[in-house]
Amino acid sequence: MPELPEVEVVKKSLINKIQNLIIKSVKINDGRLRYKINRKIIKKIIGLKFKRISRRSKYLLFFFNTDIVMLVHLGMTGKFFFVDSKSTKYKTSFYYDINEDKDEKHDRIIFNLSNNHKLIYNDIRKFGFIKFVNRIDLEQNIHLKHLGPEPLSNKYNIRYFKNYINGKKRTIKDLLMDQKFVSGLGNIYVNEILFFSGVRPEKTIEKLKDFEIQKIIKFSKKIISKAITLGGSSIRDFSSSSGKKGSFQQHLNIYGKKGENCSKSKCGGKIKKIVIANRASFFCNKCQK
Ligand SMILES: [Zn+2]
C-alpha cells in the first residue's frame, strides 16, 4: 500500500512530466473505483492544463488552470504511469515495477495529453479513487478536513503532541496511526518510529515521558524524510522495469522481523510481535520500554 513517502515521490516525479500539458481526452476503461467515476465530470476537465500537484497526507491534489482540483487517493494498489510520445513508459514511484504484460488490463483511466503524452491511472484492486472538487471547497472536503498535521510540518511539535494527548487514554501505536492526530503515518513507519524512539507500541500515552515524546516526534520526521529521499533516488531511472523496489523497505529495522535479534549494537534483545487494533506490531523486548 502506498504510504506518505511513496505518494510524495509520485507527486515529485509526476509534476516534472505533466506540468503545462493539456488534457485532450479521457478514456475510461473501468470507472468502478472506490467511488464510481462520473463521466459527465470527466468532460469538464477536457482542455484543462496541469499546473501543479500538492500532497496532503496520502492524497494527491492536481491543480489546473481553473478552479477544478483532481483529488486522488491511491488506495491499496493505485499507481500512475506516464507514457511519452515515443511510447516509453515511466513509473512514478518506487513501490511498484513496470510489468508490460500484466499492467494493461488494470489501466482504469487514460488521460490523453498534449504532445502525444499519456497519463495512466492503473489500479489492480480498485480501492483508489479520483474525484473532482472545487478549489474553494477543498478545506471542507470530507477526506481532507479531519486530517491532523503533516509529520514533517512545524505544527507537529511537542506542544501540539502534549495538548492532544492530555486526558486521553490509548496506546501510542494507536495514536500515531490516527490520521486526526498526525496524517500519513502508516503501520510500517509507525513500527520503525517507535523502535528508534525506544517506546513499546502498546505503551499508553499518559505514561509517556517528555523525552520519549521528543524522540517520537524527531524520529517521525527523520524516518519519513529518509524514506522520501531513498524513494526519490531509487526511481532515477524511471523507465527501468527492474527498478530497485521500495528501497526504504530494504532498510527496515523492526517491521516483519519477528524472532530476529535487535539491530541496535550491544542491545541483545529479541524482536517480538503483537497485534494492536488488528495491525501487526513489532518491538524489541529489551530497548523499547
Ligand atoms: Zn533492542
Side-chain angles (χ1 to χ4, degrees):
M1 184 192 311
E3 301 282 354
L4 188 159
E6 288 87 330
V7 179
E8 178 67 17
V9 173
V10 172
K11 180 195 97 178
K12 285 183 169 160
S13 48
L14 256 187
I15 193 60
N16 293 329
K17 303 272 180 213
I18 64 171
Q19 192 169 38
N20 290 326
L21 293 181
I22 294 166
I23 299 176
K24 293 290 185 187
S25 63
V26 181
K27 188 174 175 226
I28 303 177
N29 289 337
D30 186 349
R32 294 166 299 160
L33 302 177
R34 192 183 335 165
Y35 307 108
K36 197 163 183 275
I37 298 265
N38 182 329
R39 281 174 195 268
K40 268 188 203 154
I41 286 186
I42 282 285
K43 280 195 187 133
K44 289 187 181 170
I45 64 163
I46 310 293
L48 299 191
K49 188 191 274 186
F50 284 108
K51 293 311 278 185
R52 64 186 178 91
I53 308 173
S54 68
R55 179 193 57 74
R56 184 74 179 92
S57 184
K58 294 191 254 182
Y59 298 91
L60 287 167
L61 294 98
F62 293 75
F63 291 87
F64 302 95
N65 55 333
T66 66
D67 284 341
I68 296 179
V69 180
M70 183 166 88
L71 178 66
V72 178
H73 192 277
L74 300 169
M76 306 283 284
T77 53
K79 54 192 112 156
F80 280 106
F81 293 115
F82 179 81
V83 182
D84 70 12
S85 52
K86 297 185 187 97
S87 297
T88 306
K89 196 173 188 179
Y90 297 84
K91 61 179 192 169
T92 58
S93 196
F94 55 91
Y95 61 96
Y96 62 90
D97 288 327
I98 292 178
N99 186 333
E100 296 287 357
D101 307 330
K102 289 186 185 152
D103 284 338
E104 215 168 294
K105 66 178 175 193
H106 305 298
D107 288 349
R108 308 299 180 190
I109 316 285
I110 299 170
F111 302 85
N112 295 303
L113 308 176
S114 41
N115 306 340
N116 283 322
H117 297 313
K118 278 191 180 99
L119 175 66
I120 299 173
Y121 179 75
N122 178 295
D123 196 340
I124 297 171
R125 298 184 62 185
K126 299 196 284 186
F127 287 116
F129 69 78
I130 298 177
K131 275 187 175 182
F132 297 92
V133 203
N134 195 300
R135 196 189 289 233
I136 54 166
D137 299 328
L138 268 183
E139 267 181 43
Q140 284 311 307
N141 181 270
I142 183 125
H143 303 287
L144 307 178
K145 68 176 178 182
H146 297 300
L147 291 174
E150 295 277 320
L152 295 178
S153 83
N154 293 332
K155 286 183 197 159
Y156 179 61
N157 59 35
I158 184 130
R159 198 166 16 119
Y160 168 76
F161 201 116
K162 288 177 79 172
N163 272 337
Y164 193 95
I165 65 173
N166 189 25
K168 293 192 175 81
K169 261 194 176 178
R170 57 204 293 199
T171 65
I172 178 61
K173 172 83 192 294
D174 185 42
L175 179 79
L176 293 178
M177 296 287 290
D178 183 348
Q179 304 300 302
K180 291 191 201 90
F181 170 64
V182 58
S183 62
L185 296 183
N187 195 36
I188 293 176
Y189 293 105
V190 168
N191 273 283
E192 296 292 312
I193 291 163
L194 290 174
F195 172 67
F196 284 105
S197 307
V199 175
R200 287 214 183 182
E202 78 271 34
K203 186 164 189 156
T204 52
I205 51 181
E206 78 266 25
K207 287 188 187 137
L208 286 174
K209 308 254 176 16
D210 278 9
F211 80 89
E212 291 174 317
I213 295 176
Q214 256 152 357
K215 277 190 172 175
I216 291 168
I217 294 169
K218 181 178 119 187
F219 284 109
S220 302
K221 294 176 191 290
K222 239 184 156 165
I223 285 166
I224 292 294
S225 307
K226 189 181 167 197
I228 293 170
T229 310
L230 285 171
S233 64
S234 74
I235 55 159
R236 217 164 274 155
D237 182 14
F238 288 125
S239 63
S240 156
S241 53
S242 60
K244 305 250 179 333
K245 215 174 183 179
S247 54
F248 181 80
Q249 313 226 343
Q250 291 157 354
H251 296 271
L252 294 178
N253 285 276
I254 191 94
Y255 187 84
K257 302 210 180 278
K258 182 187 169 188
E260 292 183 26
N261 294 327
C262 176
S263 61
K264 285 181 195 164
S265 61
K266 293 180 199 149
C267 171
K270 276 252 185 287
I271 296 172
K272 307 276 181 195
K273 180 184 172 186
I274 49 167
V275 174
I276 299 174
N278 292 317
R279 305 298 298 272
S281 297
F282 300 86
F283 65 92
C284 168
N285 63 355
K286 239 177 139 182
C287 63
Q288 286 178 262
K289 313 276 183 208

